[in-house]
């Protein structure tokens, strides 16, 4: 598919990258909420993203797998923006990605030729198949280069996963709102420092 004529910028987020971003953002650091806090939450999220049928059960061990997949994806994305490196200890990031690799080897994924072109697809059913689809989305994102544009906002009170649509992939913050918020915070902390050191 070509973007020519659609008016879309060449670096607009493809659907699979958007799915990866949304999955990572089920943990909202700013709001202090977690859509994957329990199995029911995971079930709701997967169903609302058309990854799970209404009758599919989600067990607690599916939840544990989902949370480890998310932690591994988040750790991998932290590596995409230099400014975000401070968000996660490198040893912890390496461990989380290794756990993700181990899970990817056990989730139902295979190469299919049914569509005419060999492609990585999710097999099986239920929550594991749904989580495999998230990994298929990540692999597709890796294949088309959109993966490198998925980043984590370096503000540790935000840590939002975002898609860097800039031509030279230079965007570091999730949005202008976040950058402004950060400037205000920096100004306040400078002012506090100045107030406490100023003579009475
Ligand atoms: Zn942010």
């Amino acid at each position: 598919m070509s973007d020519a004529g659609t008016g879309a910028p060449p670096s607009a987020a493809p659907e699979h990258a958007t799915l990866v971003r949304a999955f990572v953002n089920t943990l909202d650091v700013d709001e202090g909420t977690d859509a994957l806090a329990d199995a029911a939450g995971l079930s709701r999220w997967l169903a609302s993203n058309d990854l799970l049928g209404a009758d599919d059960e989600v067990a607690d061990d599916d939840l544990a797998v989902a949370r480890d997949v998310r932690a591994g994806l988040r750790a991998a994305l932290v590596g995409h923006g230099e400014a975000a490196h401070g968000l996660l200890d490198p040893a912890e990031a390496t461990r989380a990605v290794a756990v993700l690799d181990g899970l990817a080897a056990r989730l139902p994924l295979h190469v299919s030729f049914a569509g005419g072109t060999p492609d990585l697809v999710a097999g099986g059913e239920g929550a594991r198949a749904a989580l495999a689809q998230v990994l298929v989305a990540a692999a597709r994102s890796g294949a088309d280069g959109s993966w490198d544009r998925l980043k984590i906002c370096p503000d540790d009170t935000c840590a939002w996963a975002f898609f860097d649509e800039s031509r030279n992939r230079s965007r570091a913050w999730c949005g202008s709102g976040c950058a402004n918020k950060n400037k205000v915070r920096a100004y306040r902390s400078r002012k506090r420092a100045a107030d406490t050191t100023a003579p009475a």
Side-chain angles (χ1 to χ4, degrees), residues 9 11-13 21 25 77-84 147-155 158 160-179:
S11 51
R21 185 179 61 79
N25 283 338
L77 298 189
V78 160
H80 289 178
E82 211 171 300
W147 174 251
D148 293 335
R149 293 180 177 276
L150 286 167
K151 298 179 178 179
I152 303 291
C153 181
D155 182 335
C158 175
W160 192 247
F162 67 98
F163 188 80
D164 178 0
E165 75 294 342
S166 67
R167 285 197 182 275
N168 56 1
R169 285 190 253 175
S170 60
R171 201 171 132 200
W173 305 91
C174 71
S176 57
C178 189

Side-chain angles (χ1 to χ4, degrees), residues 21-42:
R21 185 179 61 79
F23 186 69
V24 170
N25 283 338
T26 53
L27 177 67
D28 189 329
V29 174
D30 189 23
E31 297 283 332
T33 57
D34 186 354
L36 309 188
D38 51 29
L42 174 61

Side-chain angles (χ1 to χ4, degrees), residues 87-131:
L87 288 176
L88 201 57
D89 173 63
E92 174 62 22
T94 303
R95 195 198 64 81
V97 173
V99 169
L100 174 61
D101 258 353
L103 291 170
R106 298 207 308 274
L107 284 168
L109 296 163
H110 63 273
V111 175
S112 170
F113 292 79
T117 306
D119 199 8
L120 183 67
V121 296
E125 51 190 29
R128 300 299 170 108
L131 294 170

Side-chain angles (χ1 to χ4, degrees), residues 49-70:
N49 283 276
D50 295 327
L51 298 173
L52 194 71
D55 298 331
D56 288 323
E57 304 267 332
V58 174
D60 282 343
D61 56 342
D62 297 325
L63 176 68
V65 170
R67 292 171 67 98
D68 280 346
V69 165
R70 182 178 64 182

